[in-house]
Amino acid sequence: MGNWKMNGSLASNQQLLEQLIASLGSAHSHSDVVVCAPYPYLAQLQQMLANSAVEWGAQNLSAEPQGAFTGEVSAQMLNDFACKWVLVGHSERRALYGETDADVLAKTQAALDAGITPVVCVGETESEQAAGQTENVILQQLQSILKLDSALLSRIVVAYEPVWAIGTGKSATPEQAQAVHAYIRQLLAQHNAPKVRILYGGSVNAANAADLFLMPDIDGALVGGASLQAADFLSIAAA
Ligand code: PEP
């Protein structure tokens, strides 16, 4: 899953998507390949990707269904553009826009209500990791979501993204990531949702993806920077 963040233009998106389509074609493989774009480009994604193997989504949504919420975008609006996926609680939203765990829960519920798969992002900062707080932080971030009915919980995806690894070129090692994924898996299993997919995110690139994917509890990747280069993203998808 690519997270373009606030990057792209109509012209550069077209070039990137044409390369993805040319390589991946229209047949879905056993893996889902998804790009999450800024809102204004969702129409372009819908138009270009409708008959391709590439799916698309948004990077955020409002917890509210409609009304006086200037600048916000609802789950139903994402449905108008056939988004199957939406990121929720990315660390940049938590850190820069003050999103709380309660916001993340409300947004997760809004996405599920609309039939869109929320990709719930969690992860510790460098100082939290240094203080040995990783599991506590993850538990805190996931706690309220784990209380969802297990049928609903089974429909989410979790992305483990250590904040210290995002955009730094300093990926977690496969073993480091696996240890946290195993912990998340255990939490999900305790809540009758053992098959929820758990993505790793944080400086995933063409060179390190295959080793990460060898780990038993790493089910895929959330890819920032490398998703903007077709060759890199395609080689991660191939891995
Ligand atoms: C992200 O933005 O979710 C991310 C993981 O970024 P990067 O791959 O650039 O570290």
Side-chain angles (χ1 to χ4, degrees), residues 3 5 90 92 161 165-168 201-204 222-225:
N3 172 17
K5 311 195 191 201
H90 190 279
E92 288 153 16
E161 299 207 300
I166 297 180
T168 60
S203 298
V204 175
L222 182 54
V223 184

Side-chain angles (χ1 to χ4, degrees), residues 20-34 48-55 84 234 237:
L20 299 187
I21 294 165
S23 172
L24 295 166
S26 57
H28 278 256
S29 71
H30 69 283
S31 300
D32 292 322
V33 179
V34 184
M48 286 191 68
L49 299 177
N51 297 310
S52 80
V54 184
E55 299 181 357
K84 283 178 64 178
L234 284 166

